[in-house]
Amino acid sequence: MTALSPTPTALQEGVLLRELNRRVTNGVAFAIDLVSAAAIRVEGTEAKCALRDVVELLHGYADVHRALAMPAGETLIQAASYIRKLGCGMRRAVLDRMNIPLAVATQSLALQPERCWHLGLIVHELVMHAARHACFDARAGQIRIKLTRNGALVNCVILDNGWRSARETSDRELRIVRDIARALGGRIEQGFGAEFTSIVLSFPLTERERRANWSIATRQMRAPRRTRAAGSNAAALRSLRSPDALGALLSLSHPMDAS
């Protein structure tokens, strides 16, 4: 009689994912070491520059991979910092090489580790989707991420100033993103215009997340009035400096951290 393997538990799956992440991380680090050594040994300025560029590219991918690693523990994660770190990795690995600036505007938002990880997976896929498929024509390409909280609802907007028709955006390409969004209890919606394309992720906070974010908001409300006024003025100035269609859609109506 053949014994059937038991279905992996969530704990076992987490261990396997972290082990896979460790092996990929070690593999990338080993590749960086090999290429760095080759850059030292090789003769010729052009070859050295090319190999150093490869090293920089691998470092960028390593940054993204670290940011997308499944977090451990139960402590709530500050999603704003998490998304900014992920954005820096995507710039270094891909977007800077494509001459596509990435702007990130985030509100303070505490999420449970696994749910913050799910958010990061979605943001990464949607930004890369925009970079691959947006048609910028003669315009300078730009992608923006806006993460906000409205009560117990989180909205994350990925917006680019390219265009593509609804028919050209395959549901198959976004199937995994939609599946992850459902795991968050949320949904994905798309918007198309003459000068922009947007994809919006919306999902509700859990009870634990609502309590934590309410506490954060309460502490912020107790901040000195002068500090709040300065933040509002800075947000207004940033909005005035972005008169284009993309900037108008992402105009800041309240203080946010931007990078």
Side-chain angles (χ1 to χ4, degrees):
M1 179 179 295
T2 303
L4 298 177
S5 298
T7 302
T9 65
L11 178 60
Q12 289 172 328
E13 290 176 350
V15 171
L16 290 173
L17 280 173
R18 291 190 182 93
E19 174 60 19
L20 177 61
N21 176 75
R22 185 188 68 82
R23 295 187 184 190
V24 173
T25 299
N26 290 344
V28 174
F30 184 60
I32 290 173
D33 290 341
L34 287 178
V35 179
S36 298
I40 294 173
R41 294 193 305 269
V42 74
E43 296 181 359
T45 302
E46 185 175 347
K48 286 182 179 291
C49 289
L51 289 174
R52 286 169 185 162
D53 191 55
V54 172
V55 170
E56 182 66 19
L57 176 64
L58 290 173
H59 274 300
Y61 276 106
D63 290 344
V64 172
H65 184 69
R66 280 192 293 268
L68 292 177
M70 183 179 180
E74 297 296 330
T75 304
L76 295 182
I77 293 177
Q78 181 51 252
S81 301
Y82 182 86
I83 294 301
R84 288 198 299 270
K85 181 179 179 181
L86 177 59
C88 288
M90 289 188 290
R91 291 189 196 104
R92 187 178 184 184
V94 178
L95 299 177
D96 286 351
R97 297 166 188 278
M98 299 177 70
N99 294 318
I100 301 178
L102 175 66
V104 181
T106 58
Q107 274 187 300
S108 178
L109 176 65
L111 294 178
Q112 292 170 218
E114 185 172 350
R115 285 164 55 81
C116 190
W117 175 50
H118 286 161
L119 172 62
L121 292 173
I122 291 173
V123 168
H124 175 264
E125 180 58 28
L126 292 181
V127 169
M128 293 298 99
H129 185 272
R132 288 192 301 267
H133 298 293
C135 300
F136 299 110
D137 294 329
R139 295 190 298 272
Q142 186 179 44
I143 299 174
R144 295 191 183 187
I145 303 170
K146 183 179 181 182
L147 179 66
T148 60
R149 180 181 61 83
N150 184 9
L153 185 68
V154 176
N155 289 309
C156 184
V157 184
I158 311 298
L159 190 67
D160 65 75
N161 63 340
W163 67 271
R164 54 189 180 271
S165 70
R167 289 177 301 175
E168 292 172 340
T169 303
S170 170
D171 284 339
R172 179 177 55 81
E173 292 180 322
L174 298 178
R175 183 176 58 190
I176 294 177
V177 169
R178 295 184 190 280
D179 288 343
I180 300 174
R182 281 193 288 269
L184 288 169
R187 62 182 182 180
I188 297 287
E189 295 181 350
Q190 297 172 258
F192 305 92
E195 296 184 0
F196 74 92
T197 299
S198 66
I199 301 181
V200 182
L201 163 67
S202 299
F203 64 92
L205 295 172
T206 65
E207 180 60 32
R208 183 188 177 195
E209 291 167 346
R210 285 198 295 270
R211 291 197 303 267
N213 284 287
W214 183 84
S215 297
I216 293 172
T218 300
R219 289 196 297 269
Q220 290 176 340
M221 290 175 64
R222 293 172 181 167
R225 183 174 300 175
R226 180 177 299 177
T227 302
R228 295 202 303 272
S232 299
N233 291 337
L237 286 174
R238 288 196 295 270
S239 179
L240 290 173
R241 291 169 184 165
S242 302
D244 57 291
L246 191 64
L249 283 166
L250 287 181
S251 59
L252 304 180
S253 57
H254 38 66
M256 304 178 76
D257 299 324
S259 64

